[in-house]
Amino acid sequence: MTFINYAAREINCKIVYYGPGLCGKTTNIQHIYEKTNPNAKGKLISLATETDRTLFFDFLPLDLGTIRGFRTRFHLYTVPGQVFYDASRKLILKGVDGVIFVADSQEARLEANIEAVKNLQANLKAQGYDIQKIPYILQLNKRDLASAVPIEMLLKHLRVKNEPYFEASAFKGVGVFDTLKAVAKLVLNDLKRT
Ligand SMILES: Nc1nc2c(ncn2[C@@H]2O[C@H](COP(=O)(O)OP(=O)(O)O)[C@@H](O)[C@H]2O)c(=O)[nH]1
Ligand SMILES: [Mg+2]
């Protein structure tokens, strides 16, 4: 549901970072915020609990330049990971143009990743989207940890289609922009076809 404002010559796209609790969604957005030119970004809005966990979402508007005279604005959102915030997760997917699934590479989180992929599929469906059709990127995060499982294992359990994947360490800023660029490219390609 890309919002194109012809009068203002603006394209607005919504990207959602999805994944289990503590997989690094907020860290991704924070890194993007820190490394982006002040005039290309808006305020980073985080609604967090006192323990720093995302309560409702994080939000960052990002200006990705101009395409054929249209300013392209990307609106980045994260979802809260905790199981009991499912209503929020569903709501945040409304109007989504592209999804980044952030997987936590730690062995102890494999089951939580699998659950979160299932939850994403169900919630997309509830909003009328098909995960097979929506621009979708898999980020394998926390690759810096010794307890990270092999990539093949994560791909085997988490891949839902032949989606591109990126190894990352959001914490160190590795792979964060590659992931974002990949989803942006898919979204803009989709746009050209419509
Ligand atoms: N070692 C490591 N820790 C990470 C990485 N990304 C995030 N973290 C840490 O994981 C914790 C949860 O991250 P956060 O971004 O709040 O997770 P969220 O619940 O998905 O938003 C924080 O302590 C982060 O510093 C990473 O790539 N490597
Ligand atoms: Mg968070």
Side-chain angles (χ1 to χ4, degrees):
M1 195 208 71
T2 316
F3 176 63
I4 305 179
N5 183 337
Y6 288 93
R9 300 190 76 75
E10 271 179 17
I11 298 172
N12 291 279
C13 304
K14 180 174 183 178
I15 305 296
V16 175
Y17 285 78
Y18 214 94
L22 302 177
C23 66
K25 301 175 292 293
T26 299
T27 309
N28 263 274
I29 288 211
Q30 277 169 346
H31 179 77
I32 292 162
Y33 181 78
E34 280 159 23
K35 296 291 175 199
T36 304
N37 206 310
N39 54 30
K41 70 189 176 194
K43 247 195 177 136
L44 171 62
I45 296 169
S46 286
L47 298 174
T49 58
E50 63 279 8
T51 54
D52 228 27
R53 301 199 61 172
T54 307
L55 188 59
F56 194 58
F57 58 72
D58 308 293
F59 170 67
L60 175 64
L62 209 57
D63 210 322
L64 291 192
T66 310
I67 295 177
R68 291 200 213 116
F70 280 78
R71 278 182 82 183
T72 52
R73 288 232 173 85
F74 277 70
H75 303 261
L76 311 185
Y77 287 82
T78 71
V79 294
Q82 288 115 302
V83 177
F84 45 88
Y85 288 135
D86 199 44
S88 307
R89 276 195 294 279
K90 208 171 274 175
L91 196 63
I92 291 161
L93 286 174
K94 230 180 161 74
V96 68
D97 295 297
V99 177
I100 293 167
F101 186 89
V102 181
D104 191 325
S105 293
Q106 296 176 92
E107 185 164 25
R109 298 301 283 160
L110 187 59
E111 215 39 61
N113 289 323
I114 294 169
E115 277 309 308
V117 170
K118 280 190 200 151
N119 176 260
L120 169 63
Q121 281 179 304
N123 283 345
L124 278 173
K125 203 170 172 191
Q127 295 286 13
Y129 301 106
D130 181 353
I131 199 165
Q132 297 298 331
K133 292 188 186 144
I134 201 159
Y136 183 70
I137 300 286
L138 174 61
Q139 182 187 73
L140 310 177
N141 193 32
K142 305 200 183 179
R143 295 311 302 165
D144 58 290
L145 292 177
S147 53
V149 298
I151 288 168
E152 295 68 37
M153 188 170 174
L154 292 170
L155 292 178
K156 182 174 157 236
H157 286 97
L158 304 178
R159 242 176 168 186
V160 294
K161 49 186 179 182
N162 222 17
E163 73 268 20
Y165 70 91
F166 292 88
E167 291 182 56
S169 171
F171 186 63
K172 294 183 174 172
V174 176
V176 171
F177 276 97
D178 293 335
T179 309
L180 176 63
K181 276 183 208 155
V183 84
K185 198 172 151 196
L186 291 181
V187 170
L188 293 172
N189 277 347
D190 247 26
L191 209 64
K192 277 185 211 148
R193 273 191 259 122
T194 53

